Amino acid sequence: MTTVNPIPEGYHSVTPWIIGHDTAGLMDFLADAFDAVDLGGRVVDEHGNIGHAEMRIGDSVVMMFDKPDWPPTPAFLRLYVPDVETALKQAVAAGGTVVTEPTHLFWGDIVARVHDPFGNLYWLQTRIEEVDEAELGRRFGDEKFTKALEYVQSSLFRPAG
């Protein structure tokens, strides 16, 4: 008897969906902004709507499809990248809008956020240090990290709608 892995090769336990009105445009943005790769298998209906598509961003698969009669349903995705500043510049060049500039936060990540032209938000993050419990506690009282967190939280993104 052959044992079948319940999680297909190349997938993880959680696979996000992005549901929108212009999946083809979104796929172009993802390719330009994050070097996403179209995995093929795109299903298109007689009206040109994409009923299913998959792209790989880094080591993760993101599925997407058009649902033109639905209200906006923005996705919020966290992408760990090798260099936040480089990734942010590339996303902006692809048509994204900066929501949060690169910011060093108390748990050891540099974080930036970018909004795409389709209503989705991406947290771009790079781990730059491992922070132990004692240092986390100290950083809660450090003005530098308090101000950084206030900046990030004050620029919380709210989708239009």
Side-chain angles (χ1 to χ4, degrees):
M1 176 183 255
T2 304
T3 303
V4 175
N5 185 344
I7 301 172
E9 183 70 32
Y11 292 78
H12 297 286
S13 296
V14 176
T15 302
W17 284 94
I18 300 178
I19 304 166
H21 298 164
D22 182 7
T23 297
L26 172 65
M27 293 176 78
D28 290 340
F29 173 82
L30 293 173
D32 293 343
F34 307 123
D35 299 322
V37 176
D38 185 342
L39 297 179
R42 190 182 301 197
V43 177
V44 181
D45 71 14
E46 66 277 2
H47 304 290
N49 295 314
I50 295 177
H52 179 85
E54 298 182 13
M55 296 190 86
R56 183 172 309 284
I57 303 173
D59 67 354
S60 299
V61 174
V62 177
M63 295 182 183
M64 56 207 71
F65 63 92
D66 289 321
K67 198 67 174 153
D69 57 335
W70 279 20
T73 55
F76 291 70
L77 302 176
R78 176 185 293 188
L79 284 66
Y80 273 100
V81 297
D83 181 307
V84 165
E85 290 190 22
T86 300
L88 183 61
K89 286 177 187 172
Q90 186 170 332
V92 168
T97 303
V98 175
V99 174
T100 306
E101 294 290 343
T103 306
H104 182 190
L105 294 177
F106 68 91
W107 63 84
D109 285 5
I110 299 286
V111 177
R113 290 180 295 164
V114 63
H115 175 245
D116 74 17
F118 308 95
N120 305 297
L121 182 70
Y122 307 86
W123 276 259
L124 307 177
Q125 295 188 218
T126 300
R127 176 65 43 96
I128 61 167
E129 60 184 333
E130 296 298 330
V131 181
D132 64 25
E133 293 286 328
E135 180 61 11
L136 281 174
R138 187 196 71 73
R139 288 181 178 192
F140 277 122
D142 183 324
E143 185 176 356
K144 169 187 163 188
F145 289 105
T146 302
K147 286 185 182 286
L149 189 58
E150 285 173 1
Y151 162 65
V152 170
Q153 290 179 337
S154 73
S155 63
L156 289 177
F157 171 80
R158 298 197 195 315

